Amino acid sequence: MRQAPVTPNGDLIRWIELPGAEPARLYLHGLGSSSPVYSAAAAAHPLLTGRRSLLLDLLGFGISDRPTDFPYTLESHADAVAAALTAAGVDGAEVIAHSLGGAVAVLLAARHPHLVSQLVLVDSVLAPAPPGPTPGSTGITEYTEEEFLAEGWHRTADRVGPTWWATMRLAGPVALHRTAVHRARGTTPPLREHLAALTIPRTYLHPEADGAPAGAAELTATGTTVRAVPDCGHTIMFDNPEGFARAVSEALNGS
């Protein structure tokens, strides 16, 4: 395990690092998840092994510190990841980012372009969330921060189920709520505009069963490759590990 301070108070982001050739690969997780849990099998797959790989937990999640005075905006997450990569001596990383991690990855590439050479976004939501609860939602944003800390945190376990809760319970409640709220609000300018302005190769993976993601034609028109992965749901790396590894490998190799 490696770590680096990423705030003025010295709060630490931590990651599991696998040795290998440069350029490095960075794996970023979704809301309430953890990269060592969600990405270890992929990073060790024969199609993806051999590269220096950082399985990094965002500040507030997994094995990283959980400060309560951090804003947990998407921009602050991206800047904290940038600080960790800089401390690790990483430059021009290939970034594989799931769900919420995709939003952070887009901003990482936009705000710190020297740190990212390619993006693979894995079923990432790139638009603000509609008002009210949605199917598959954690329900976190239905609470104020005070309500979430008082009661919402305890109700979330039943709402998300045991698999998701296995890593979500490691998150700081403040981090979880603030991150969910800021993710739902989106960014200014919108994430899609940030993504369209990038000049690096970028790929968007989605479950084949869900059909094309919203705005797929717009993504394609601005240079993002959209690929369907069969036999999976939102957690593509869990549901179809072989298909996920193949799709990521093909994306990174431009095939």
Side-chain angles (χ1 to χ4, degrees), residues 8-216:
N9 293 334
D11 300 300
L12 299 171
I13 272 183
R14 297 183 178 88
W15 64 93
I16 301 300
E17 184 165 329
L18 306 178
E22 300 285 350
R25 286 180 179 156
L26 171 68
Y27 291 83
L28 294 177
H29 60 82
L31 183 72
S33 300
S34 169
S35 291
V37 176
Y38 276 66
S39 298
H45 191 280
L47 290 173
L48 297 175
T49 193
R51 285 290 185 85
R52 181 188 180 194
S53 298
L54 286 72
L55 284 62
L56 182 145
D57 279 345
L58 298 173
L59 200 65
F61 297 90
I63 57 176
S64 291
D65 283 353
R66 303 184 292 275
T68 57
D69 59 351
F70 189 72
Y72 294 105
T73 62
L74 296 179
E75 292 86 352
S76 64
H77 274 303
D79 292 345
V81 172
L85 293 180
T86 299
V90 171
D91 190 68
E94 300 171 343
V95 182
I96 301 101
H98 179 235
S99 198
L100 162 79
V104 175
V106 170
L107 290 175
L108 175 67
R111 294 165 72 88
H112 307 276
H114 66 288
L115 293 177
V116 182
S117 62
Q118 288 198 63
L119 278 181
V120 180
L121 306 177
V122 184
D123 209 26
S124 300
V125 179
L126 300 176
T134 56
S137 166
T138 61
I140 292 170
T141 58
E142 297 170 38
Y143 300 95
T144 66
E145 184 170 308
E146 293 74 18
E147 290 169 341
F148 185 71
L149 296 180
E151 58 177 309
W153 168 254
H154 302 290
R155 296 181 178 178
T156 301
D158 293 334
R159 209 159 180 173
V160 303
T163 299
W164 199 354
W165 184 248
T167 54
M168 189 175 287
R169 63 182 178 171
L170 303 177
V174 169
L176 186 61
H177 185 268
R178 290 182 189 171
T179 300
V181 167
H182 286 293
R183 176 64 198 90
R185 290 176 182 169
T187 62
T188 303
L191 284 169
R192 285 179 179 271
E193 290 187 21
H194 283 297
L195 183 62
L198 298 177
T199 58
I200 58 175
R202 49 214 188 273
T203 300
Y204 187 101
L205 305 181
H206 68 93
E208 185 177 71
D210 290 353

